[in-house]
Amino acid sequence: MPRNPHRIAAVAAALVLAALSSLHLVWLRSPWPLTSRERFLETVVGQTDPSSGPSPWMTLAVACLLAVAAWLVLAGAGFVRGLLPHRVLNAMTWILAAVLLLRGAAGLVLSGVIGQGPAAFRFWDLVLYSPLTLALGTVAALVTRAPAGRPQRRAGPPDAYRGP
């Protein structure tokens, strides 16, 4: 196994991302854990108009992207094969980190400072959605700092010159 000090955090983040992906698949058919679609839209989506909720295709796309995000974090930490060149995998993981960190920060500003959206959504955005997204983005950024597949440099003086 490659050396990566963030492996435990990467596994935890990948499990959370996979669970969120599964939850989005559940939401294709059910507003679980809430009792109605209207309450779901108000609490999870931040909308009060039922016609402005996400389409099933958008929900499925988010589920797929979350599954890819889980794979990226695991690949970045060296748990699964990258299937992509190291530079591409690292760039995709940096993009993932940036998107998650931006979403987390924007949620704190929009829900906490500006007060945008229904009260139930603002509460959960400040208590759960944004902090969790910031934590996941941080882990994604950390696994790019010591990526799997790249040889680790040893500390110390360079090898002695061996002439021809």
Side-chain angles (χ1 to χ4, degrees):
M1 292 272 170
R3 292 183 193 140
N4 187 328
H6 311 294
R7 291 171 58 83
I8 294 172
V11 170
L15 287 172
V16 169
L17 288 163
L20 291 172
S21 174
S22 299
L23 187 57
H24 279 76
L25 292 175
V26 168
W27 288 340
L28 288 170
R29 296 282 183 204
S30 166
W32 183 86
L34 299 168
T35 56
S36 69
R37 176 143 173 89
E38 292 77 25
R39 184 114 167 112
F40 171 82
L41 289 172
E42 180 182 332
T43 306
V44 176
V45 181
Q47 301 289 328
T48 54
D49 180 18
S51 65
S52 65
S55 71
W57 289 108
M58 288 174 58
T59 304
L60 181 61
V62 170
C64 292
L65 289 170
L66 287 166
V68 169
W71 173 80
L72 280 171
V73 170
L74 287 176
F79 283 102
V80 296
R81 288 186 61 108
L83 303 176
L84 297 169
H86 171 73
R87 289 178 192 248
V88 173
L89 178 65
N90 207 32
M92 289 176 67
T93 308
W94 272 116
I95 291 168
L96 169 65
V99 167
L100 291 171
L101 291 169
L102 182 63
R103 165 35 184 115
L108 292 176
V109 170
L110 293 174
S111 291
V113 177
I114 297 174
Q116 181 177 335
F121 175 78
R122 287 194 321 266
F123 173 80
W124 286 109
D125 197 22
L126 292 171
V127 170
L128 179 64
Y129 309 150
S130 291
L132 180 61
T133 307
L134 287 169
L136 293 169
T138 301
V139 172
L142 289 173
V143 299
T144 62
R145 292 183 50 87
R150 176 177 281 177
Q152 300 290 324
R153 292 185 185 176
R154 286 185 281 165
D159 292 336
Y161 173 73
R162 293 183 189 137

